[in-house]
Amino acid sequence: MGSASSNDAIRSISNWAIAPAQPRPAGQRKATEEFGSLTFSEEVQRARLPKDVYRALRRAVAQGEPIEANVADIIASALKDWAVEHGATHYTHWFQPLTGITAEKHDSFLSPSADGRAVAEFSGKELVRGEPDASSFPSGGMRSTFEARGYTAWDPTSPPWLLVTGNGVTLVIPTAFVSWTGEALDKKTPLLRSMESLSKQAVRILRLFGSKAQRVTATCGPEQEYFLVDRQFYFARPDLINSGRTLFGARPPKGQEMEDHYFGSIPDRVLAFMMEVERELYKVGVPLKTRHNEVAPGQYEVAPIFENANVATDHQMMTMEMLRRIAPKYGLACLMHEKPFAGVNGSGKHLNWSMADELGNNLLNPGDTPHENIQFLVFCAAVIRAVNKFQGLLRFSIASAGNDHRLGANEAPPAIISIFLGDQLTDIFQQVEKAGSAKTTKSGGILDIGVGVLPKLPRDAGDRNRTSPFAFTGNKFEFRAVSSNQSIALPNVALNLAVTESLDYCATELEKGLKEGKKLQAAVKQLLVKLLKDNKRIIFNGNGYSEEWQKEAAKRGLLNHRTSVDAYGEAMKPDVVKAFETYGVLTEREWHARYEIAVEQYNKTINVEAQLMVLMANRYMLPAGYRYQGELAASVNAVKAAGATSKESRRALDQICRATDECKVRVDQLQALLEHEMNGDAEKHSRYFRDKVVPAMNALRDAGDSLECIVPHDVWPFPTYREMLFIK
Ligand code: ADP
Ligand code: MG
């Protein structure tokens, strides 16, 4: 790079201009008209499908009833007509293989007709089932590559939408992906299965409280954090291009210490980008709600309104894709990595999670007087039990090489899974545990700001705690340890499954109590007391970053897996495997495949990063160091020849020689470690990466960053942190 290309980047950034401010640009429709305009929404379905077909489809969506072949035919034909009217020429079964990103294979609607022309056709069979070659997707040992057959199966609960790109329109059909033998090869299938099983157990409890509800869905609202950097800087960084994060980079003089970015006014170019992303996502039915600056310079967040967890997961994938796709139009690159820049905050994805019945009642809504709402207390205590019992599974569900830079490092949240309940609920549960029931609810009261003209605000009953990995936030739980780059499918599955098992336990206990002639109140009391006694160690309202918590958690016997490698083993613990099997979410084989892929992905990630570091050091950084060494040496000689003396330039020469030498030694050490044989047991290799390779990478980074600090700017090959984070 050097200053020449750096100057190019800066010039084009400062020349970047947006259209003059106007309320609504010409040709743009109102947001309310635009929302869902590219989805085969309920409204479109009602308008275009015969009444009985429409009803059958809605029943399938609401109650999970299967759709008959002849009904599917009619839906397919209406779907095709709608898509073709909107300009679609192709359709795709869109699925979420175990790579963690989405996959699509496009097929044309056209089929040749006898008279040498073509007609657009789409049958129920094509809607319901696709057959992409499955051999090149990871299967975690479930299949060998010659067993290539895979099927995609239409998910009628997630609405199809239109992908509009430069040269045409494609109908996108959300699908599940399974092998010829029926094994789940994707992330959606277990999610759907876990939602079914959660519903079954939750309904059992609701029945006991006299509810007529038939179905419960997991609800989910994921908040996405991301970074934006100028694209020219991005292309000048091999590490950003190939690993999504900076593997080198000296700390800039100014980072996030001034706290002047969070919720600050959004720069014009970034705001223009956000608005286009939102508009495009509105069209395909993603209900985005909030946008703001995040803590680190260059970091932002977007969050939707919550939906059922399956649709929310699809929409989350679409949101990530849209962020990546639109950024280049604004000369930006969107970084979703958990830690693109050392020394400033990383990115997470807060997963807000709850359960609701089909009438929309939120089962984790405590109401104004939670102590009277014993149904709420049961559901809430069931979640507490679930998180305590399945800490390991939850920790596994968020483990990755990228998330290691957040969890267990000096950053939010810690690697210990615990629950923040807040003062109000903690107080209630303490009363329950002591007396069997709670008599009072601490209220927040009114917050008087002390200025007559300002309104009096109702105060929440508890403050927030940003350090907790799993916090109750008023009427839902927020799983904050989820990482920015991952699909939310697995964390959702983990939560659904853990809570399913726990609700099953609660329902069984309550049913037993009732059978023995207890009144419901009494049975609930007994259950709650037991649940709290057994599981209260998971509740922690204090500072999750503190040293004391590490000690306290150890005393309580909570898991504390600081690295992913430590956490992977949790997947195959007997309780976890048993729960997957018992509730039909994944067979042991299917689940083992997920474990295997997670470990492999860790190994591959570290391997790629380490190779990249070697490449960057050998081909870019060391040559820059040698160049400057030569320059300085020539200067020292010239000074001497001219009869002058400069002790300090001589010292500078020594300093650069030492720094380049150090860098060379470190890169050779890392390279030697990478020559290690990599066949066989994946978990063994992951330990090798963790214990040998990662420390060598850190050492090389330190050496590289020291070198950066003394090499002149016009010789240094990469844009610096200062430039990437602050020039917008
Ligand atoms: P907070 O201020 O606690 O972050 P917000 O109201 O901003 O709360 O919500 C954050 C996210 O939580 C949003 O995506 C929101 O839609 C989601 N959310 C709210 N209620 C629920 C719920 N019942 N289930 C799942 N997600 C929810
Ligand atoms: Mg939040």
Side-chain angles (χ1 to χ4, degrees), residues 97-175:
L98 297 174
T99 50
I101 51 177
T102 61
E104 51 198 75
K105 173 183 149 226
H106 296 200
D107 284 299
S108 162
F109 285 125
L110 289 191
S111 47
S113 58
D115 56 359
R117 298 163 28 134
V119 290
E121 270 181 357
F122 189 51
S123 69
K125 225 168 81 199
E126 287 164 304
L127 167 64
V128 170
R129 200 189 83 172
E131 204 192 322
D133 184 332
S135 56
S136 298
F137 294 109
S139 75
M142 271 191 291
R143 291 153 315 130
S144 18
T145 31
F146 62 87
E147 299 167 308
R149 223 182 258 280
Y151 296 107
T152 48
W154 173 41
D155 168 15
T157 61
S158 186
W161 45 280
L162 297 171
L163 173 68
V164 181
T165 45
N167 276 337
V169 180
T170 307
L171 169 66
V172 182
I173 302 163
T175 57

Side-chain angles (χ1 to χ4, degrees), residues 519-707:
K519 287 251 163 29
L520 181 63
Q521 289 269 355
V524 167
K525 253 186 205 176
Q526 193 183 9
L527 172 69
L528 287 177
V529 171
K530 179 156 170 46
L531 286 179
L532 292 170
K533 282 226 164 79
D534 294 349
N535 299 287
K536 68 177 171 201
R537 64 169 185 169
I538 198 79
I539 298 169
F540 177 66
N541 292 330
N543 178 5
Y545 300 169
S546 65
E547 228 359 86
E548 294 87 76
W549 174 228
Q550 301 281 328
K551 289 190 200 124
E552 169 67 19
K555 241 198 278 168
R556 294 189 191 184
L558 296 175
L559 296 176
N560 186 1
H561 294 309
R562 284 168 203 264
T563 69
S564 297
V565 175
D566 302 319
Y568 288 133
E570 291 294 332
M572 298 317 291
K573 293 274 163 74
D575 270 354
V576 173
V577 175
K578 186 172 149 212
F580 271 108
E581 292 249 349
T582 306
Y583 300 101
V585 175
L586 288 171
T587 63
E588 179 164 1
R589 225 167 95 87
E590 289 173 319
W591 177 236
H592 188 268
R594 269 88 186 155
Y595 151 79
E596 188 115 310
I597 289 170
V599 180
E600 270 169 15
Q601 271 179 349
Y602 175 90
N603 293 350
K604 285 178 188 162
T605 304
I606 303 290
N607 190 39
V608 166
E609 287 184 351
Q611 304 269 9
L612 264 170
M613 288 186 85
V614 169
L615 177 145
M616 287 171 77
N618 277 337
R619 312 261 312 269
Y620 294 78
M621 294 157 60
L622 284 172
Y626 295 139
R627 227 166 271 161
Y628 180 47
Q629 250 175 38
E631 230 173 74
L632 255 186
S635 159
V636 166
N637 276 338
V639 167
K640 208 160 146 198
T645 48
S646 164
K647 257 190 3 222
E648 294 308 316
S649 51
R650 180 63 235 200
R651 251 166 36 86
L653 178 58
D654 287 340
Q655 191 190 12
I656 180 74
C657 291
R658 270 198 310 275
T660 19
D661 281 358
E662 173 74 10
C663 195
K664 176 81 174 101
V665 169
R666 297 295 178 194
V667 73
D668 288 350
Q669 282 170 347
L670 180 57
Q671 194 156 21
L673 286 170
L674 292 176
E675 273 147 29
H676 182 80
E677 192 65 51
M678 284 300 163
N679 299 319
D681 182 2
E683 214 175 318
K684 202 173 97 208
H685 291 306
S686 72
R687 286 192 290 274
Y688 177 80
F689 278 118
R690 178 195 60 190
D691 300 336
K692 297 277 193 278
V693 176
V694 170
M697 287 166 69
N698 292 338
L700 173 56
R701 176 171 187 147
D702 285 345
D705 292 355
S706 301
L707 188 62

Side-chain angles (χ1 to χ4, degrees), residues 163-432:
L163 173 68
V164 181
T165 45
N167 276 337
V169 180
T170 307
L171 169 66
V172 182
I173 302 163
T175 57
F177 181 45
V178 296
S179 73
W180 183 77
T181 51
E183 282 169 321
L185 297 175
D186 69 342
K187 304 209 165 214
K188 186 190 269 282
T189 307
L191 177 56
L192 287 170
R193 291 178 188 161
S194 73
M195 288 179 65
E196 289 268 353
S197 66
L198 180 75
S199 177
K200 238 180 252 160
Q201 300 304 333
V203 165
R204 259 176 87 196
I205 305 244
L206 286 178
R207 290 261 158 77
L208 298 175
F209 286 99
S211 160
K212 300 257 178 311
Q214 304 281 321
R215 244 183 126 70
V216 166
T217 43
T219 55
C220 167
E223 306 166 41
Q224 175 75 52
E225 294 178 340
Y226 60 93
F227 278 82
L228 292 172
V229 295
D230 189 85
R231 225 159 103 85
Q232 307 198 48
F233 292 144
Y234 174 82
F235 283 132
R237 299 275 325 197
D239 45 3
L240 282 184
I241 296 175
N242 286 323
S243 76
R245 75 176 178 106
T246 53
L247 298 165
F248 292 99
R251 306 281 154 95
K254 178 177 188 275
Q256 65 189 41
E257 56 281 272
M258 312 288 267
E259 299 175 327
D260 51 1
H261 184 69
Y262 189 56
F263 279 17
S265 76
I266 302 171
D268 275 359
R269 175 159 66 142
V270 172
L271 188 55
F273 157 77
M274 287 176 168
M275 286 178 166
E276 177 158 351
V277 168
E278 285 165 9
R279 239 183 357 260
E280 291 308 311
L281 285 168
Y282 282 161
K283 290 184 196 164
V284 290
V286 180
L288 293 184
K289 176 81 174 163
T290 30
R291 54 164 111 106
H292 61 80
N293 286 1
E294 257 302 327
V295 172
Q299 192 186 26
Y300 307 92
E301 177 179 305
V302 61
I305 296 172
F306 69 94
E307 302 176 273
N308 101 42
N310 174 42
V311 176
T313 302
D314 285 355
H315 282 170
Q316 220 290 306
M317 297 310 287
M318 288 155 69
T319 302
M320 295 211 291
E321 283 178 8
M322 199 64 88
L323 286 166
R324 287 201 188 95
R325 181 172 286 173
I326 305 270
K329 265 183 85 170
Y330 293 85
L332 298 165
C334 180
L335 309 177
M336 234 89 70
H337 193 281
E338 293 77 10
K339 193 75 174 179
F341 300 99
V344 296
N345 270 23
S347 298
K349 183 143 54 195
H350 296 174
L351 189 74
N352 295 275
W353 181 95
S354 186
M355 297 164 274
D357 68 16
E358 75 261 41
L359 303 171
N361 297 308
N362 178 358
L363 304 184
L364 290 176
N365 186 358
D368 291 334
T369 49
H371 69 281
E372 291 172 342
N373 186 351
I374 59 170
Q375 179 188 302
F376 160 76
L377 291 178
V378 170
F379 277 102
C380 190
V383 176
I384 293 171
R385 179 182 175 281
V387 174
N388 184 35
K389 179 163 180 187
F390 291 99
Q391 291 164 57
L393 170 62
L394 291 170
R395 178 66 184 84
F396 171 82
S397 77
I398 49 161
S400 68
N403 219 11
D404 277 1
H405 298 284
R406 296 174 66 230
L407 311 176
N410 276 331
E411 196 169 318
I416 307 161
I417 301 286
S418 69
I419 297 183
F420 170 82
L421 271 189
D423 290 344
Q424 189 189 43
L425 273 187
T426 305
D427 173 61
I428 289 171
F429 279 122
Q430 272 164 359
Q431 292 182 50
V432 169

